[in-house]
Amino acid sequence: MILTSCSVQKHNEQRTSLIPPEKLKEDVDYAYRKLQKMHPQLYWYISKEELDHKFDSVKNTINRPLTPLQFYFTLQPVIASIREGHLSLRIPRKRFKKKDFRSFRNKKGMFSRFGYYVKDDHLYIVENKDSIQGIPPGTEILSINNIPVSDYLKKYRNLISSDGFNTTFQPYFLKDTFFNFYTAEKGLADSATIETIYNNVKKVYTLKRETKSENDLEVDKKQKKRTLEKKVNDYIAFNNSYNRNFKFLDKDSSIAYIKVRSFSRSYSDQFYKEAFTKIKHAKASYLIIDIRNNYGGSLYEINNLYSYLAPEPFVLIKPSEVTSKMTPLKTNYFRKSNVLQYAFKSLTYPTYVFAQTFSTYKKDGKVFYKMKENKSTKPDKNAFNGKVFVLVNGGSFSASSIISSKLKNDQRAIIVGEETGGANDGTVAGFYSYQKLPNSKIDLPIGLLLVQPNINFTNTQRGVIPDVNVTESIQDIIDKKDPQMDWVMKEIGREKGNSIQ
């Protein structure tokens, strides 16, 4: 406990210390060298000349000492300009001792109890489940503690990049991360004053971090208990919801619906086995897969899901390129290990090195990493052979874009919604090398695998463009309307009507 307290104190002191300009410039050079050495597609969306200029320019702007947090806001826009959505510096956050964590667990969130919507330089509240102070959905937050929200949005927007020249990802990601940036910058306060406007009427509210009641704590305790149902559907205690949902949308079970919020892999085999067994027994004709606001996750899970949709053997992704045969050994094997874990990993390290050394192969002068997902996979015995609709939006990223792109290319599904947040032609992720900038101590996780769906590339440098473009407005969200789902249900109804005739 003393060691932990000392570590926390040391981290927080370093976080607020001023670092000389020459040391910060060393960190800039260090970050660029590591990216050039490890990132397999660094100049996909930006030329080397342009990126060289950006790194040189940011060094020229550093002419005074900065704290690590100030340095983060200086360097991250350059990292974001690479336009690789998985690539980002980790914001240097304040750390807390265990007793402080316990204290926060016994209090309700202040900003996290609302749902948000971002449009240009405007931040709206679209959900207020607890009816906090009666703030109605549709209320715009104009300022927080007398600082305009538009100032924050302009600042934070420069920290976020999507894959390539995608146009939809940023608002979705920004609404989810706005207060992560804000609290990292301003700290976790117990109260905040917000100025708002609703129906042209301005109001000021003081939000407070309320202490949880005994009933609240009891509910928290119940939510954390993991039943078999919670495991299979991947229950999320934080917001009392399931990561995966399955149901039939009509009385005759002809329309099946699967919602996946994240491809976490946890209990995914059992979930899909049970869901598609029910779909087969019901002889359903239609399947709607909803991966809106799904930021991605496991390639294993989307490969498994595709096996329930494929009419014949398939290969999900193309061979995954890395920069060298040594790349798989740069994944920080001992990272975040306690004493016992370190001891165990030391024993297994030779096996790990052996396995990783033989996990690569060379072809046509390039090095590739062996993965199950770039080998042929057979369709599952319960594979669905009816019509598939996939719902996507700007929050569909990474693995969500890969499976959407593959389904669209293979003409196995009709994609409905908005352009996805992840690129149509792939991304750089897979596994990471966690680099720490030597002076500011900021973490820079670098994706090591070029992961591309096994498709005919569009070379548009954009997301997956839906077959049917249907957008959702702020009023739709407030009124709990779903125009994208409505379009699909109307289309199915039209087809059913035609089939009856």
Side-chain angles (χ1 to χ4, degrees), residues 3-197:
L3 285 173
T4 304
S5 298
C6 290
S7 175
V8 168
Q9 183 178 347
K10 184 177 179 181
H11 168 86
N12 290 336
E13 287 175 354
Q14 193 278 331
R15 180 179 174 273
T16 56
S17 63
L18 287 169
I19 304 168
E22 60 273 15
K23 293 296 182 182
L24 295 173
K25 292 177 182 181
E26 287 178 8
D27 278 8
V28 174
D29 288 336
Y30 180 90
Y32 197 19
R33 281 199 309 272
K34 291 297 181 180
L35 286 169
Q36 289 173 312
K37 188 174 182 180
M38 297 182 183
H39 197 285
Q41 196 67 288
L42 187 60
Y43 306 110
W44 198 347
Y45 303 113
I46 186 171
S47 69
K48 183 179 185 305
E49 292 74 20
E50 187 179 355
L51 192 56
D52 286 349
H53 176 72
K54 284 183 177 290
F55 273 98
D56 287 340
S57 295
V58 79
K59 283 197 296 182
N60 291 333
T61 67
I62 301 172
N63 50 25
R64 63 184 178 87
L66 301 175
T67 66
L69 186 64
Q70 291 170 330
F71 180 56
Y72 166 84
F73 282 107
T74 302
L75 181 57
Q76 176 54 28
V78 177
I79 302 297
S81 72
I82 296 169
R83 297 184 179 274
E84 173 55 59
H86 290 85
L87 182 62
S88 178
L89 293 168
R90 292 283 175 86
I91 191 164
R93 299 180 179 278
K94 181 180 179 181
R95 291 180 184 172
F96 296 94
K97 298 174 183 177
K98 287 184 178 179
K99 66 176 182 179
D100 296 321
F101 270 121
R102 283 195 291 268
S103 175
F104 280 119
R105 277 203 303 267
N106 292 334
K107 291 184 178 180
K108 296 180 181 180
M110 191 161 60
F111 296 114
S112 61
R113 296 164 70 192
F114 298 100
Y116 299 97
Y117 180 91
V118 169
K119 177 71 173 177
D120 300 324
D121 291 331
H122 304 275
L123 177 69
Y124 299 91
I125 291 173
V126 292
E127 188 176 31
N128 184 3
K129 285 183 179 179
D130 297 337
S131 300
I132 300 167
Q133 299 189 46
I135 300 175
T139 295
E140 180 181 358
I141 303 177
L142 299 175
S143 68
I144 305 172
N145 294 332
N146 299 316
I147 298 177
V149 164
S150 58
D151 290 356
Y152 289 117
L153 285 168
K154 289 171 185 173
K155 183 178 184 179
Y156 299 159
R157 186 174 284 111
N158 290 329
L159 309 174
I160 299 170
S161 67
S162 57
D163 287 342
F165 297 90
N166 164 281
T167 59
T168 58
F169 177 70
Q170 207 174 60
Y172 284 91
F173 194 66
L174 191 51
K175 77 176 177 63
D176 289 340
T177 57
F178 179 92
F179 285 102
N180 291 340
F181 291 128
Y182 178 84
T183 54
E185 187 177 7
K186 300 296 183 180
L188 286 167
D190 286 327
S191 66
T193 300
I194 59 172
E195 182 188 10
T196 67
I197 186 168

Side-chain angles (χ1 to χ4, degrees), residues 189-253:
D190 286 327
S191 66
T193 300
I194 59 172
E195 182 188 10
T196 67
I197 186 168
Y198 179 77
N199 284 345
N200 296 318
V201 177
K202 290 185 178 182
K203 285 189 177 182
V204 175
Y205 299 92
T206 299
L207 304 180
K208 294 184 179 180
R209 198 178 296 278
E210 303 169 14
T211 301
K212 291 181 180 178
S213 66
E214 290 296 325
N215 184 58
D216 292 328
L217 294 172
E218 190 61 34
V219 170
D220 287 350
K221 196 179 294 183
K222 286 180 181 178
Q223 288 177 349
K224 288 176 182 176
K225 289 182 179 178
R226 301 279 285 175
T227 62
L228 180 60
E229 180 192 10
K230 285 184 176 181
K231 288 178 181 177
V232 173
N233 294 286
D234 200 7
Y235 178 74
I236 306 167
F238 170 73
N239 56 11
N240 190 26
S241 67
Y242 289 97
N243 187 29
R244 300 185 198 90
N245 296 88
F246 165 76
K247 60 184 176 182
F248 291 105
L249 298 181
D250 55 348
K251 292 180 180 178
D252 62 1
S253 300

Side-chain angles (χ1 to χ4, degrees), residues 141-388:
I141 303 177
L142 299 175
S143 68
I144 305 172
N145 294 332
N146 299 316
I147 298 177
V149 164
S150 58
D151 290 356
Y152 289 117
L153 285 168
K154 289 171 185 173
K155 183 178 184 179
Y156 299 159
R157 186 174 284 111
N158 290 329
L159 309 174
I160 299 170
S161 67
S162 57
D163 287 342
F165 297 90
N166 164 281
T167 59
T168 58
F169 177 70
Q170 207 174 60
Y172 284 91
F173 194 66
L174 191 51
K175 77 176 177 63
D176 289 340
T177 57
F178 179 92
F179 285 102
N180 291 340
F181 291 128
Y182 178 84
T183 54
E185 187 177 7
K186 300 296 183 180
L188 286 167
D190 286 327
S191 66
T193 300
I194 59 172
E195 182 188 10
T196 67
I197 186 168
Y198 179 77
N199 284 345
N200 296 318
V201 177
K202 290 185 178 182
K203 285 189 177 182
V204 175
Y205 299 92
T206 299
L207 304 180
K208 294 184 179 180
R209 198 178 296 278
E210 303 169 14
T211 301
K212 291 181 180 178
S213 66
E214 290 296 325
N215 184 58
D216 292 328
L217 294 172
E218 190 61 34
V219 170
D220 287 350
K221 196 179 294 183
K222 286 180 181 178
Q223 288 177 349
K224 288 176 182 176
K225 289 182 179 178
R226 301 279 285 175
T227 62
L228 180 60
E229 180 192 10
K230 285 184 176 181
K231 288 178 181 177
V232 173
N233 294 286
D234 200 7
Y235 178 74
I236 306 167
F238 170 73
N239 56 11
N240 190 26
S241 67
Y242 289 97
N243 187 29
R244 300 185 198 90
N245 296 88
F246 165 76
K247 60 184 176 182
F248 291 105
L249 298 181
D250 55 348
K251 292 180 180 178
D252 62 1
S253 300
S254 65
I255 307 172
Y257 172 82
I258 291 175
K259 168 73 175 176
V260 187
R261 291 178 172 82
S262 172
F263 292 113
S264 67
R265 183 170 177 173
S266 300
Y267 288 88
S268 61
D269 287 353
Q270 189 171 344
F271 172 83
Y272 293 119
K273 182 179 179 181
E274 291 179 3
F276 281 95
T277 298
K278 291 175 183 176
I279 291 171
K280 186 172 185 178
H281 287 166
K283 297 181 180 179
S285 302
Y286 299 94
L287 171 61
I288 302 169
I289 300 174
D290 189 347
I291 50 175
R292 291 174 293 182
N293 304 305
N294 181 326
Y295 288 138
S298 165
L299 283 174
Y300 172 91
E301 180 171 339
I302 62 170
N303 191 70
N304 185 32
L305 172 56
Y306 203 95
S307 73
Y308 286 98
L309 306 173
E312 57 191 24
F314 67 96
V315 177
L316 180 72
I317 60 173
K318 292 184 181 293
S320 300
E321 188 178 342
V322 292
T323 55
S324 75
K325 291 182 72 68
M326 298 305 293
T327 295
L329 296 176
K330 297 173 181 176
T331 55
N332 310 86
Y333 181 71
F334 293 100
R335 183 174 176 266
K336 289 190 174 180
S337 300
N338 60 33
V339 176
L340 290 176
Q341 290 169 333
Y342 191 93
F344 176 76
K345 286 184 176 181
S346 297
L347 295 174
T348 59
Y349 187 65
T351 304
Y352 164 78
V353 171
F354 180 83
Q356 291 293 71
T357 301
F358 289 94
S359 64
T360 60
Y361 64 95
K362 204 166 185 179
K363 185 178 180 181
D364 300 328
K366 295 181 179 179
V367 181
F368 299 93
Y369 185 79
K370 297 174 185 176
M371 297 182 72
K372 177 182 182 294
E373 292 77 24
N374 52 43
K375 296 177 182 176
S376 182
T377 300
K378 294 180 180 178
D380 190 89
K381 64 180 181 180
N382 288 326
F384 177 71
N385 57 13
K387 192 162 188 176
V388 181

